[in-house]
Amino acid sequence: MTASLEQLRRCHFAVDLGAARTRVFLKGEGVVVDEPSAAAVNTRTGALIAVGTLAEQMTGRTPGYIRVVRPVSGGTVVDIDMAKRMLRHLLGDKVRRALRRKPRLRAAACTPYDADPLAQRATVETLVGVGARRVELVDTLIAAAVGCGLPVERPEASMILVCGAATTQIAVLSLGSIVTAERVPVGGNAIDHSVVSYLRHHHELMLPSQSVRPLHLALRGGDLATGGTGTTEIHGRDVATGLARSVEVDTAGLRGAIDIPLTGVLDGIGKVLRDCPPDLVADLAERGIMMVGGSALTPGLDQMIREATGVPVQVAERPDIASVTGLGAMLDGQVEPVVLDSLSVSA
């Protein structure tokens, strides 16, 4: 964490710019924005047509001169100007007026683990563009751990998986700091792509992009998560004819398709555990692994990790907003700082 708790208490709002969704926490109000990180632009005039949910619904349904863009990729701002415009509209007039009344407006933001200086600078410039005079950066892993209630300030191990749309971040925390961590370029988007590829190659069915996530959320808790051998009906478009068609798909095959990209996550967990001190690994055998992030709800993911590592795995109560909730707790002063002062010997 680059910002101290004292600095964070002076902040007025916090932002979690994710590849899938953007969330804003307003001090004293709670989470006031939770919208998709998407913007629809008229390429002829450069005008912004829509942001958030409406822009997400336009994906794949617009004429050629309207383009849906995502200014954030993997938790990193890749288009600063578009990110500023999107965030201004997501905040809305009411929130922006409330923020303008704050003297020397301060903001806090999450940054992915091991983010390079350019990525951090892009986040800072985006928030400065919406009026912030000073921006404090917090590691996403620390914020998410605080948000799901892990005792990160104690001298014992807490392991967390932040499962995002583009990346998965894995870390072991102790005494308020990251002991060892890894960022894996596998997330919900890779899982969606695997499902789409499986249906195309095995059933000659094209699935609309917006139907993938509801598909495996609908299967959560069913045969896909428990390793059963049932079937489910999926509606899509025939590859050859282009006509609407529905097929019965074996859920075991879907589970196999999802397992392929998740092997990268398991490799990352193994690397973190190998680099972790033995005493902390012993703590993890009892405390287990906490999963947060929107993709933590992927069916069968927690069971797969449990079987591969042999340690308990939990999914946070609200995994999707854990990071921004953790930032909010820091802004509200709900987190006590870890004091490690040197001991003095009296004469």
Side-chain angles (χ1 to χ4, degrees):
M1 184 169 63
T2 56
S4 68
L5 288 173
E6 186 60 36
Q7 291 171 322
L8 290 171
R9 289 193 183 103
R10 298 195 190 106
C11 293
H12 302 100
F13 72 106
V15 178
D16 178 19
L17 282 168
R21 299 185 75 85
T22 293
R23 299 176 177 93
V24 179
F25 179 96
L26 189 61
K27 197 170 186 178
E29 298 288 337
V31 179
V32 294
V33 174
D34 185 359
E35 295 277 345
S37 302
V41 184
N42 186 327
T43 57
R44 294 174 180 172
T45 63
L48 202 61
I49 304 297
V51 296
T53 302
L54 183 56
E56 179 91 348
Q57 292 171 352
M58 290 182 179
T59 304
R61 298 186 173 99
T62 61
Y65 65 92
I66 295 179
R67 187 164 57 99
V68 178
V69 298
R70 292 187 174 273
V72 184
S73 176
T76 301
V77 177
V78 294
D79 186 338
I80 297 175
D81 181 60
M82 187 56 63
K84 290 178 186 176
R85 297 171 68 186
M86 179 189 75
L87 192 53
R88 284 194 205 104
H89 283 81
L90 288 178
L91 286 172
D93 293 335
K94 182 179 178 181
V95 176
R96 289 208 309 275
R97 282 197 299 268
L99 293 176
R100 275 199 295 266
R101 291 195 292 266
K102 307 289 185 183
R104 289 197 58 82
L105 184 64
R106 292 171 177 253
C110 290
T111 55
Y113 170 73
D114 205 21
D116 58 68
L118 286 177
Q120 294 180 3
R121 182 65 185 172
T123 301
V124 171
E125 287 190 18
T126 300
L127 295 186
V128 168
V130 296
R133 299 289 298 275
R134 183 181 174 92
V135 180
E136 309 292 352
L137 300 179
V138 180
D139 197 296
T140 301
L141 292 164
I142 299 290
V146 172
C148 62
L150 291 179
V152 293
E153 73 283 356
R154 297 180 187 171
E156 55 190 45
S158 297
M159 189 168 185
I160 187 166
L161 263 71
V162 180
C163 308
T167 62
T168 297
Q169 301 174 66
I170 310 155
V172 174
L173 312 172
S174 181
L175 284 174
S177 300
I178 297 172
V179 178
T180 178
E182 187 75 12
R183 184 158 57 147
V184 181
V186 175
N189 293 342
I191 295 171
D192 292 351
H193 180 72
S194 295
V195 171
V196 170
S197 298
Y198 173 81
L199 294 174
R200 185 182 181 93
H201 292 119
H202 291 80
H203 298 277
E204 297 183 347
L205 192 74
M206 291 183 66
L207 196 66
S209 59
Q210 296 185 44
S211 300
V212 181
R213 188 56 55 88
L215 168 63
H216 45 81
L217 288 184
L219 291 169
R220 186 184 352 131
D223 292 325
L224 187 60
T226 58
T229 56
T231 61
T232 186
E233 186 178 19
I234 298 177
H235 304 276
R237 191 180 74 181
D238 189 276
V239 172
T241 65
L243 300 176
R245 182 165 67 93
S246 61
V247 296
E248 290 287 331
V249 178
D250 183 10
T251 51
L254 278 177
R255 179 182 171 87
I258 290 176
D259 284 352
I260 293 172
L262 295 184
T263 54
V265 176
L266 295 179
D267 291 342
I269 293 173
K271 185 177 186 305
V272 168
L273 292 176
R274 287 193 298 272
D275 295 342
C276 189
D279 290 340
L280 293 181
V281 175
D283 289 345
L284 295 175
E286 299 178 3
R287 302 182 60 84
I289 301 171
M290 179 66 75
M291 294 174 57
V292 301
S295 299
L297 298 173
T298 301
L301 176 56
D302 53 343
Q303 181 180 344
M304 181 182 179
I305 294 174
R306 190 181 300 114
E307 293 172 353
T309 60
V311 300
V313 178
Q314 290 180 276
V315 179
E317 185 176 350
R318 286 297 308 273
D320 51 339
I321 62 171
S323 296
V324 74
T325 302
L327 277 179
M330 295 177 190
L331 265 60
D332 288 339
Q334 299 175 15
V335 181
E336 293 297 325
V338 180
V339 180
L340 296 175
D341 293 332
S342 57
L343 299 177
S344 58
V345 181
S346 58

